Short mmCIF file of all heavy atoms in Angstrom, two decimals:
data_model
loop_
_atom_site.label_atom_id
_atom_site.label_comp_id
_atom_site.label_asym_id
_atom_site.label_seq_id
_atom_site.Cartn_x
_atom_site.Cartn_y
_atom_site.Cartn_z
N MET A 1 5.74 35.79 27.25
CA MET A 1 6.35 34.69 27.95
C MET A 1 6.82 33.72 26.83
O MET A 1 6.18 33.48 25.83
CB MET A 1 5.37 33.90 28.89
CG MET A 1 5.91 32.79 29.54
SD MET A 1 4.73 32.12 30.79
CE MET A 1 4.65 33.36 31.91
N ARG A 2 8.09 33.17 27.10
CA ARG A 2 8.71 32.31 26.03
C ARG A 2 8.76 30.96 26.61
O ARG A 2 9.55 30.79 27.54
CB ARG A 2 10.05 32.96 25.68
CG ARG A 2 10.62 32.06 24.68
CD ARG A 2 11.72 32.93 23.86
NE ARG A 2 12.04 32.06 22.68
CZ ARG A 2 13.33 31.72 22.41
NH1 ARG A 2 14.23 32.16 23.17
NH2 ARG A 2 13.59 31.10 21.31
N ILE A 3 7.99 30.08 26.26
CA ILE A 3 7.98 28.73 26.62
C ILE A 3 8.23 27.85 25.37
O ILE A 3 7.55 28.02 24.40
CB ILE A 3 6.72 28.31 27.32
CG1 ILE A 3 6.50 29.11 28.51
CG2 ILE A 3 6.71 26.85 27.58
CD1 ILE A 3 5.22 28.84 29.40
N ILE A 4 9.30 26.87 25.54
CA ILE A 4 9.61 26.07 24.37
C ILE A 4 9.31 24.66 24.72
O ILE A 4 9.88 24.16 25.72
CB ILE A 4 11.13 26.22 24.00
CG1 ILE A 4 11.42 27.64 23.51
CG2 ILE A 4 11.46 25.34 22.87
CD1 ILE A 4 12.81 27.97 23.39
N LEU A 5 8.42 24.01 24.06
CA LEU A 5 8.01 22.54 24.27
C LEU A 5 8.78 21.70 23.43
O LEU A 5 9.05 21.91 22.27
CB LEU A 5 6.63 22.40 24.14
CG LEU A 5 5.70 23.37 25.05
CD1 LEU A 5 4.21 23.11 24.70
CD2 LEU A 5 5.96 23.11 26.43
N ASN A 6 9.23 20.51 23.97
CA ASN A 6 9.82 19.53 23.25
C ASN A 6 8.94 18.20 23.28
O ASN A 6 8.68 17.47 24.26
CB ASN A 6 11.19 19.13 23.88
CG ASN A 6 11.96 18.05 23.15
OD1 ASN A 6 11.50 17.40 22.15
ND2 ASN A 6 13.09 17.71 23.60
N ASN A 7 8.25 18.06 22.09
CA ASN A 7 7.37 16.85 21.91
C ASN A 7 7.98 15.51 21.94
O ASN A 7 7.36 14.56 22.23
CB ASN A 7 6.61 17.06 20.58
CG ASN A 7 5.60 18.21 20.71
OD1 ASN A 7 5.05 18.57 21.66
ND2 ASN A 7 5.42 18.84 19.54
N ASN A 8 9.34 15.51 21.88
CA ASN A 8 10.05 14.22 21.70
C ASN A 8 10.55 13.82 23.19
O ASN A 8 11.02 12.78 23.34
CB ASN A 8 11.34 14.33 20.88
CG ASN A 8 10.72 14.52 19.39
OD1 ASN A 8 9.76 13.99 19.07
ND2 ASN A 8 11.55 15.17 18.59
N SER A 9 10.35 14.76 24.12
CA SER A 9 10.95 14.50 25.56
C SER A 9 10.03 13.52 26.26
O SER A 9 8.75 13.41 25.85
CB SER A 9 10.93 15.88 26.20
OG SER A 9 11.18 15.68 27.56
N MET A 10 10.55 12.82 27.04
CA MET A 10 9.78 11.85 27.89
C MET A 10 9.17 12.60 29.09
O MET A 10 8.22 12.12 29.69
CB MET A 10 10.68 10.83 28.51
CG MET A 10 11.34 9.97 27.51
SD MET A 10 10.12 9.01 26.54
CE MET A 10 9.51 7.79 27.70
N THR A 11 9.41 13.91 29.23
CA THR A 11 8.78 14.77 30.27
C THR A 11 7.43 15.19 29.81
O THR A 11 7.32 15.70 28.62
CB THR A 11 9.68 16.01 30.58
OG1 THR A 11 10.93 15.48 31.00
CG2 THR A 11 9.06 16.72 31.78
N PRO A 12 6.41 15.02 30.62
CA PRO A 12 5.04 15.51 30.09
C PRO A 12 5.13 16.99 29.79
O PRO A 12 5.82 17.75 30.42
CB PRO A 12 4.14 15.14 31.29
CG PRO A 12 4.79 14.21 32.08
CD PRO A 12 6.32 14.42 31.81
N ILE A 13 4.11 17.36 28.88
CA ILE A 13 4.04 18.76 28.38
C ILE A 13 3.83 19.71 29.66
O ILE A 13 4.38 20.84 29.80
CB ILE A 13 2.97 18.94 27.42
CG1 ILE A 13 3.18 18.09 26.11
CG2 ILE A 13 2.84 20.42 27.15
CD1 ILE A 13 4.28 18.61 25.32
N TYR A 14 2.80 19.40 30.57
CA TYR A 14 2.56 20.24 31.66
C TYR A 14 3.72 20.45 32.52
O TYR A 14 3.93 21.55 33.11
CB TYR A 14 1.31 19.73 32.47
CG TYR A 14 1.61 18.73 33.42
CD1 TYR A 14 1.88 19.01 34.84
CD2 TYR A 14 1.65 17.36 33.12
CE1 TYR A 14 2.14 18.00 35.77
CE2 TYR A 14 1.85 16.38 34.02
CZ TYR A 14 2.13 16.67 35.40
OH TYR A 14 2.36 15.75 36.33
N GLU A 15 4.55 19.47 32.72
CA GLU A 15 5.80 19.59 33.52
C GLU A 15 6.82 20.47 32.89
O GLU A 15 7.57 21.12 33.60
CB GLU A 15 6.36 18.16 33.90
CG GLU A 15 5.61 17.38 34.89
CD GLU A 15 6.24 16.01 35.29
OE1 GLU A 15 7.44 15.82 34.75
OE2 GLU A 15 5.55 15.21 35.93
N GLN A 16 6.99 20.41 31.59
CA GLN A 16 7.78 21.29 30.83
C GLN A 16 7.31 22.82 31.03
O GLN A 16 8.17 23.67 31.27
CB GLN A 16 7.81 20.99 29.34
CG GLN A 16 8.42 19.58 29.04
CD GLN A 16 8.37 19.42 27.50
OE1 GLN A 16 8.71 20.23 26.70
NE2 GLN A 16 8.09 18.14 27.11
N VAL A 17 6.10 23.03 31.06
CA VAL A 17 5.45 24.26 31.27
C VAL A 17 5.74 24.82 32.62
O VAL A 17 6.31 25.87 32.85
CB VAL A 17 3.89 24.26 30.88
CG1 VAL A 17 3.32 25.71 31.38
CG2 VAL A 17 3.66 24.07 29.50
N VAL A 18 5.51 23.87 33.63
CA VAL A 18 5.85 24.22 35.05
C VAL A 18 7.19 24.60 35.27
O VAL A 18 7.50 25.65 35.88
CB VAL A 18 5.45 23.02 36.00
CG1 VAL A 18 5.87 23.25 37.34
CG2 VAL A 18 3.89 22.86 36.01
N SER A 19 8.19 23.75 34.81
CA SER A 19 9.57 23.99 35.03
C SER A 19 10.07 25.30 34.41
O SER A 19 10.91 26.09 34.98
CB SER A 19 10.44 22.81 34.54
OG SER A 19 10.43 22.72 33.16
N GLN A 20 9.51 25.63 33.27
CA GLN A 20 9.92 26.89 32.44
C GLN A 20 9.37 28.08 33.18
O GLN A 20 10.14 29.11 33.26
CB GLN A 20 9.59 26.84 31.07
CG GLN A 20 10.49 25.77 30.31
CD GLN A 20 10.20 25.73 28.81
OE1 GLN A 20 10.13 26.78 28.16
NE2 GLN A 20 9.97 24.59 28.31
N ILE A 21 8.10 28.05 33.70
CA ILE A 21 7.71 29.11 34.45
C ILE A 21 8.38 29.23 35.77
O ILE A 21 8.61 30.54 36.15
CB ILE A 21 6.05 28.99 34.66
CG1 ILE A 21 5.35 29.11 33.25
CG2 ILE A 21 5.63 30.10 35.55
CD1 ILE A 21 3.87 28.79 33.39
N LYS A 22 8.63 28.31 36.46
CA LYS A 22 9.44 28.32 37.70
C LYS A 22 10.66 28.97 37.43
O LYS A 22 11.16 29.71 38.24
CB LYS A 22 9.66 26.91 38.24
CG LYS A 22 8.58 26.26 39.11
CD LYS A 22 8.97 24.94 39.63
CE LYS A 22 7.99 24.10 40.19
NZ LYS A 22 8.52 22.85 40.66
N ASN A 23 11.45 28.63 36.39
CA ASN A 23 12.69 29.07 36.05
C ASN A 23 12.65 30.69 35.87
O ASN A 23 13.42 31.42 36.31
CB ASN A 23 13.31 28.44 34.79
CG ASN A 23 14.65 28.87 34.50
OD1 ASN A 23 15.53 29.06 35.37
ND2 ASN A 23 14.94 29.24 33.27
N GLU A 24 11.56 31.07 35.14
CA GLU A 24 11.28 32.51 34.92
C GLU A 24 11.13 33.23 36.22
O GLU A 24 11.54 34.44 36.38
CB GLU A 24 10.31 32.75 33.92
CG GLU A 24 10.60 32.42 32.56
CD GLU A 24 9.67 32.96 31.45
OE1 GLU A 24 8.73 33.81 31.85
OE2 GLU A 24 9.71 32.49 30.24
N ILE A 25 10.41 32.61 37.16
CA ILE A 25 10.17 33.35 38.47
C ILE A 25 11.40 33.29 39.25
O ILE A 25 11.79 34.40 39.85
CB ILE A 25 9.01 32.43 39.17
CG1 ILE A 25 7.69 32.62 38.60
CG2 ILE A 25 8.95 32.88 40.68
CD1 ILE A 25 6.56 31.66 39.08
N ILE A 26 12.18 32.26 39.39
CA ILE A 26 13.38 32.20 40.05
C ILE A 26 14.43 33.16 39.56
O ILE A 26 15.13 33.91 40.35
CB ILE A 26 13.94 30.68 40.16
CG1 ILE A 26 12.97 29.86 40.98
CG2 ILE A 26 15.42 30.67 40.78
CD1 ILE A 26 13.17 28.35 40.92
N THR A 27 14.55 33.22 38.15
CA THR A 27 15.53 34.19 37.74
C THR A 27 15.11 35.64 37.70
O THR A 27 15.97 36.45 37.46
CB THR A 27 15.89 33.80 36.29
OG1 THR A 27 14.75 33.73 35.43
CG2 THR A 27 16.62 32.40 36.20
N GLY A 28 13.96 35.85 38.01
CA GLY A 28 13.43 37.23 38.08
C GLY A 28 12.87 37.72 36.70
O GLY A 28 12.52 38.88 36.64
N THR A 29 12.91 36.96 35.65
CA THR A 29 12.37 37.32 34.30
C THR A 29 10.80 37.68 34.53
O THR A 29 10.35 38.58 33.91
CB THR A 29 12.55 36.21 33.35
OG1 THR A 29 13.98 35.86 33.29
CG2 THR A 29 12.10 36.65 31.94
N LEU A 30 10.19 36.92 35.33
CA LEU A 30 8.80 37.27 35.63
C LEU A 30 8.73 37.69 37.06
O LEU A 30 9.00 37.12 37.96
CB LEU A 30 8.08 35.73 35.63
CG LEU A 30 6.51 35.77 35.61
CD1 LEU A 30 5.94 36.53 34.37
CD2 LEU A 30 5.95 34.37 35.75
N ALA A 31 8.37 38.95 37.11
CA ALA A 31 8.38 39.73 38.25
C ALA A 31 7.26 39.40 39.21
O ALA A 31 6.14 39.00 38.70
CB ALA A 31 8.29 41.24 37.95
N GLU A 32 7.41 39.59 40.52
CA GLU A 32 6.40 39.27 41.37
C GLU A 32 5.25 40.16 41.16
O GLU A 32 5.33 41.43 40.82
CB GLU A 32 6.89 39.62 42.81
CG GLU A 32 5.85 39.29 43.91
CD GLU A 32 6.33 39.32 45.33
OE1 GLU A 32 7.58 39.37 45.53
OE2 GLU A 32 5.61 39.37 46.24
N GLY A 33 3.95 39.74 41.17
CA GLY A 33 2.75 40.39 40.88
C GLY A 33 2.43 40.51 39.34
O GLY A 33 1.30 40.93 39.05
N GLU A 34 3.33 40.05 38.59
CA GLU A 34 3.09 40.04 37.17
C GLU A 34 2.13 39.04 36.79
O GLU A 34 2.19 37.87 37.21
CB GLU A 34 4.35 39.96 36.33
CG GLU A 34 4.24 40.06 34.81
CD GLU A 34 5.56 40.04 34.11
OE1 GLU A 34 6.63 40.28 34.84
OE2 GLU A 34 5.62 39.88 32.89
N ALA A 35 1.13 39.22 35.95
CA ALA A 35 0.17 38.24 35.70
C ALA A 35 0.61 37.31 34.57
O ALA A 35 1.32 37.62 33.62
CB ALA A 35 -1.10 38.97 35.18
N LEU A 36 0.21 35.98 34.76
CA LEU A 36 0.58 35.00 33.77
C LEU A 36 -0.50 35.18 32.71
O LEU A 36 -1.54 35.66 32.88
CB LEU A 36 0.57 33.56 34.34
CG LEU A 36 1.56 33.26 35.36
CD1 LEU A 36 1.21 31.86 36.01
CD2 LEU A 36 2.89 33.11 34.80
N PRO A 37 -0.17 34.60 31.55
CA PRO A 37 -1.24 34.64 30.45
C PRO A 37 -2.45 33.79 30.94
O PRO A 37 -2.24 32.77 31.68
CB PRO A 37 -0.47 34.04 29.29
CG PRO A 37 0.96 34.00 29.54
CD PRO A 37 1.15 34.11 30.97
N SER A 38 -3.63 34.12 30.38
CA SER A 38 -4.75 33.22 30.73
C SER A 38 -4.46 31.86 30.20
O SER A 38 -3.73 31.60 29.26
CB SER A 38 -6.07 33.78 30.10
OG SER A 38 -5.98 33.70 28.80
N VAL A 39 -5.27 30.91 30.81
CA VAL A 39 -5.16 29.47 30.36
C VAL A 39 -5.41 29.32 28.87
O VAL A 39 -4.65 28.77 28.20
CB VAL A 39 -6.16 28.64 31.14
CG1 VAL A 39 -6.19 27.25 30.63
CG2 VAL A 39 -5.70 28.65 32.68
N ARG A 40 -6.54 29.94 28.37
CA ARG A 40 -6.85 29.86 27.05
C ARG A 40 -5.77 30.59 26.15
O ARG A 40 -5.42 29.97 25.02
CB ARG A 40 -8.19 30.49 26.69
CG ARG A 40 -9.38 29.65 27.26
CD ARG A 40 -10.63 30.27 26.99
NE ARG A 40 -11.79 29.45 27.56
CZ ARG A 40 -13.06 29.95 27.66
NH1 ARG A 40 -13.25 31.10 27.21
NH2 ARG A 40 -13.82 29.15 28.24
N ALA A 41 -5.29 31.70 26.53
CA ALA A 41 -4.27 32.43 25.66
C ALA A 41 -3.03 31.58 25.53
O ALA A 41 -2.40 31.58 24.53
CB ALA A 41 -3.99 33.69 26.29
N LEU A 42 -2.49 31.10 26.71
CA LEU A 42 -1.25 30.36 26.57
C LEU A 42 -1.49 29.02 25.89
O LEU A 42 -0.60 28.63 25.06
CB LEU A 42 -0.78 30.00 28.10
CG LEU A 42 0.58 29.39 28.15
CD1 LEU A 42 1.64 30.23 27.38
CD2 LEU A 42 0.92 29.12 29.64
N ALA A 43 -2.60 28.35 25.99
CA ALA A 43 -2.94 27.11 25.34
C ALA A 43 -2.91 27.40 23.79
O ALA A 43 -2.34 26.66 22.98
CB ALA A 43 -4.27 26.47 25.63
N ALA A 44 -3.49 28.59 23.48
CA ALA A 44 -3.55 28.84 21.89
C ALA A 44 -2.11 29.09 21.44
O ALA A 44 -1.77 28.84 20.38
CB ALA A 44 -4.46 30.06 21.73
N GLU A 45 -1.40 29.94 22.27
CA GLU A 45 0.00 30.25 21.86
C GLU A 45 0.92 29.09 21.62
O GLU A 45 1.66 28.94 20.79
CB GLU A 45 0.62 31.22 22.89
CG GLU A 45 1.90 31.68 22.52
CD GLU A 45 2.59 32.55 23.74
OE1 GLU A 45 1.73 33.26 24.39
OE2 GLU A 45 3.79 32.52 23.90
N LEU A 46 0.75 28.10 22.61
CA LEU A 46 1.62 26.93 22.57
C LEU A 46 0.98 25.81 21.70
O LEU A 46 1.65 24.76 21.50
CB LEU A 46 1.86 26.32 24.00
CG LEU A 46 2.54 27.32 24.83
CD1 LEU A 46 2.61 26.68 26.29
CD2 LEU A 46 3.96 27.65 24.45
N LYS A 47 -0.22 26.06 21.35
CA LYS A 47 -0.95 25.01 20.43
C LYS A 47 -1.16 23.68 21.22
O LYS A 47 -0.80 22.53 20.76
CB LYS A 47 -0.34 24.74 19.12
CG LYS A 47 -0.36 26.02 18.25
CD LYS A 47 0.40 25.82 16.86
CE LYS A 47 0.36 26.87 16.03
NZ LYS A 47 0.74 28.17 16.40
N ILE A 48 -1.55 23.80 22.53
CA ILE A 48 -1.85 22.66 23.44
C ILE A 48 -3.25 22.81 23.98
O ILE A 48 -3.82 23.84 23.88
CB ILE A 48 -0.79 22.45 24.47
CG1 ILE A 48 -0.67 23.67 25.34
CG2 ILE A 48 0.64 22.11 23.86
CD1 ILE A 48 0.27 23.50 26.54
N SER A 49 -3.67 21.80 24.68
CA SER A 49 -4.97 21.80 25.23
C SER A 49 -5.00 22.78 26.47
O SER A 49 -3.93 22.81 27.27
CB SER A 49 -5.31 20.38 25.77
OG SER A 49 -6.40 20.38 26.60
N SER A 50 -6.06 23.36 26.74
CA SER A 50 -6.18 24.33 27.81
C SER A 50 -6.18 23.56 29.13
O SER A 50 -5.85 24.06 30.15
CB SER A 50 -7.48 25.18 27.69
OG SER A 50 -8.60 24.36 27.70
N LEU A 51 -6.59 22.30 28.95
CA LEU A 51 -6.57 21.36 30.34
C LEU A 51 -5.03 21.22 30.74
O LEU A 51 -4.78 21.15 31.96
CB LEU A 51 -7.27 20.13 30.01
CG LEU A 51 -8.78 20.19 29.85
CD1 LEU A 51 -9.31 18.82 29.48
CD2 LEU A 51 -9.40 20.70 31.15
N THR A 52 -4.24 21.02 29.72
CA THR A 52 -2.80 20.91 30.04
C THR A 52 -2.17 22.24 30.80
O THR A 52 -1.45 22.03 31.73
CB THR A 52 -2.00 20.67 28.81
OG1 THR A 52 -2.57 19.49 28.20
CG2 THR A 52 -0.48 20.40 29.05
N VAL A 53 -2.59 23.31 30.25
CA VAL A 53 -2.11 24.64 30.88
C VAL A 53 -2.77 24.71 32.35
O VAL A 53 -1.97 25.17 33.32
CB VAL A 53 -2.53 25.89 30.02
CG1 VAL A 53 -2.15 27.16 30.75
CG2 VAL A 53 -1.90 25.81 28.65
N LYS A 54 -4.05 24.35 32.41
CA LYS A 54 -4.65 24.40 33.78
C LYS A 54 -3.91 23.59 34.66
O LYS A 54 -3.80 23.94 35.94
CB LYS A 54 -6.17 24.02 33.49
CG LYS A 54 -6.94 23.90 34.88
CD LYS A 54 -7.31 25.22 35.44
CE LYS A 54 -8.30 25.11 36.63
NZ LYS A 54 -7.79 25.57 37.85
N LYS A 55 -3.53 22.38 34.36
CA LYS A 55 -2.90 21.47 35.21
C LYS A 55 -1.61 22.05 35.54
O LYS A 55 -1.12 22.00 36.84
CB LYS A 55 -2.68 20.09 34.38
CG LYS A 55 -2.07 18.95 35.30
CD LYS A 55 -2.09 17.64 34.59
CE LYS A 55 -1.57 16.60 35.60
NZ LYS A 55 -1.72 15.26 35.01
N ALA A 56 -0.81 22.70 34.68
CA ALA A 56 0.48 23.29 34.99
C ALA A 56 0.25 24.51 36.00
O ALA A 56 1.03 24.54 37.00
CB ALA A 56 1.14 23.82 33.65
N TYR A 57 -0.77 25.18 35.74
CA TYR A 57 -1.01 26.41 36.75
C TYR A 57 -1.39 25.86 38.06
O TYR A 57 -1.11 26.42 39.06
CB TYR A 57 -2.07 27.31 36.02
CG TYR A 57 -1.73 28.26 35.04
CD1 TYR A 57 -0.42 28.19 34.44
CD2 TYR A 57 -2.49 29.25 34.44
CE1 TYR A 57 0.00 29.08 33.49
CE2 TYR A 57 -2.08 30.19 33.54
CZ TYR A 57 -0.84 30.06 33.05
OH TYR A 57 -0.37 30.96 32.15
N ASP A 58 -2.21 24.75 38.13
CA ASP A 58 -2.63 24.32 39.32
C ASP A 58 -1.38 23.75 40.19
O ASP A 58 -1.35 23.83 41.42
CB ASP A 58 -3.60 23.07 39.12
CG ASP A 58 -4.97 23.53 38.83
OD1 ASP A 58 -5.35 24.62 38.97
OD2 ASP A 58 -5.83 22.69 38.35
N CYS A 59 -0.38 23.09 39.53
CA CYS A 59 0.91 22.57 40.04
C CYS A 59 1.61 23.75 40.60
O CYS A 59 2.20 23.62 41.67
CB CYS A 59 1.64 21.84 39.05
SG CYS A 59 1.06 20.19 38.65
N LEU A 60 1.80 24.84 39.76
CA LEU A 60 2.44 26.02 40.31
C LEU A 60 1.80 26.57 41.60
O LEU A 60 2.56 27.07 42.49
CB LEU A 60 2.47 27.06 39.21
CG LEU A 60 3.38 26.78 38.08
CD1 LEU A 60 3.21 27.66 36.83
CD2 LEU A 60 4.92 26.91 38.44
N GLU A 61 0.46 26.55 41.60
CA GLU A 61 -0.21 27.10 42.87
C GLU A 61 -0.01 26.23 44.01
O GLU A 61 0.19 26.72 45.15
CB GLU A 61 -1.67 27.34 42.42
CG GLU A 61 -2.39 28.04 43.52
CD GLU A 61 -3.85 28.48 43.18
OE1 GLU A 61 -4.45 27.91 42.25
OE2 GLU A 61 -4.33 29.39 43.83
N GLU A 62 0.01 24.87 43.71
CA GLU A 62 0.17 24.08 44.90
C GLU A 62 1.54 24.16 45.57
O GLU A 62 1.76 23.99 46.70
CB GLU A 62 0.03 22.54 44.42
CG GLU A 62 -1.41 22.09 44.17
CD GLU A 62 -1.46 20.66 43.63
OE1 GLU A 62 -0.55 20.03 43.69
OE2 GLU A 62 -2.57 20.33 43.06
N GLU A 63 2.51 24.49 44.67
CA GLU A 63 3.92 24.62 45.14
C GLU A 63 4.16 26.19 45.51
O GLU A 63 5.30 26.51 45.79
CB GLU A 63 4.85 24.27 44.00
CG GLU A 63 4.82 22.87 43.74
CD GLU A 63 5.65 22.40 42.61
OE1 GLU A 63 6.59 23.12 42.20
OE2 GLU A 63 5.44 21.30 42.03
N ASN A 64 3.09 27.00 45.64
CA ASN A 64 3.20 28.32 46.10
C ASN A 64 4.07 29.17 45.16
O ASN A 64 4.66 30.21 45.77
CB ASN A 64 3.68 28.47 47.53
CG ASN A 64 2.53 27.88 48.46
OD1 ASN A 64 1.34 27.93 48.26
ND2 ASN A 64 3.05 27.08 49.44
N PHE A 65 4.09 28.96 43.93
CA PHE A 65 4.89 29.76 42.98
C PHE A 65 3.99 30.92 42.49
O PHE A 65 4.45 32.01 42.09
CB PHE A 65 5.35 29.00 41.76
CG PHE A 65 6.79 28.28 42.15
CD1 PHE A 65 6.90 27.00 42.68
CD2 PHE A 65 7.98 28.98 41.97
CE1 PHE A 65 8.03 26.53 42.96
CE2 PHE A 65 9.24 28.50 42.21
CZ PHE A 65 9.26 27.19 42.82
N VAL A 66 2.63 30.62 42.33
CA VAL A 66 1.68 31.59 41.88
C VAL A 66 0.49 31.56 42.86
O VAL A 66 0.29 30.66 43.55
CB VAL A 66 1.27 31.30 40.43
CG1 VAL A 66 2.30 31.43 39.38
CG2 VAL A 66 0.60 30.01 40.32
N THR A 67 -0.33 32.66 42.77
CA THR A 67 -1.58 32.69 43.45
C THR A 67 -2.60 33.07 42.41
O THR A 67 -2.50 33.85 41.63
CB THR A 67 -1.57 33.56 44.62
OG1 THR A 67 -1.25 34.93 44.10
CG2 THR A 67 -0.61 33.23 45.75
N THR A 68 -3.86 32.49 42.65
CA THR A 68 -4.95 32.60 41.84
C THR A 68 -5.82 33.85 42.46
O THR A 68 -6.17 33.69 43.61
CB THR A 68 -5.73 31.46 41.58
OG1 THR A 68 -4.97 30.54 40.96
CG2 THR A 68 -6.91 31.65 40.62
N VAL A 69 -6.16 34.79 41.64
CA VAL A 69 -7.14 35.83 42.25
C VAL A 69 -8.33 35.91 41.36
O VAL A 69 -8.32 35.45 40.25
CB VAL A 69 -6.51 37.24 42.21
CG1 VAL A 69 -5.47 37.29 43.33
CG2 VAL A 69 -5.89 37.53 40.83
#
C-alpha cells in the first residue's frame, strides 16, 4: 500500500490516511476482500503512532469502507 503523508498540510494525519485508503478502494487498486496492513505494520511503515492508524481504520469502518474480522 502506498500512502504519502504531508506533515505541512493542515489536514490531520489520520484524515490523510483515510482519504488515501478510500481512494484506493474506490479506484479498485485495493480489491474487495483484500486485507489492509495491520495497525502496527502500517504505523511502522509510515513512522507514525499506531493510535493514529487505529483512528483512521475506525473511521473507515464507521463509513463502511472496511470491516473488521
Side-chain angles (χ1 to χ4, degrees):
M1 178 172 298
R2 185 157 188 238
I3 295 178
I4 300 170
L5 301 177
N6 182 355
N7 293 326
N8 297 326
S9 173
M10 294 301 290
T11 307
I13 299 288
Y14 83 93
E15 287 182 8
Q16 292 180 45
V17 173
V18 168
S19 67
Q20 291 183 48
I21 292 175
K22 279 184 188 177
N23 187 44
E24 288 195 12
I25 292 169
I26 291 169
T27 60
T29 306
L30 190 62
E32 184 175 343
E34 189 175 340
L36 293 173
S38 71
V39 170
R40 289 181 182 166
L42 187 58
E45 180 182 330
L46 299 176
K47 296 177 177 51
I48 59 175
S49 169
S50 57
L51 294 174
T52 303
V53 176
K54 173 75 169 117
K55 187 172 184 176
Y57 281 7
D58 287 346
C59 286
L60 287 166
E61 187 168 19
E62 286 176 15
E63 296 176 17
N64 294 319
F65 277 91
V66 297
T67 55
T68 303
V69 286

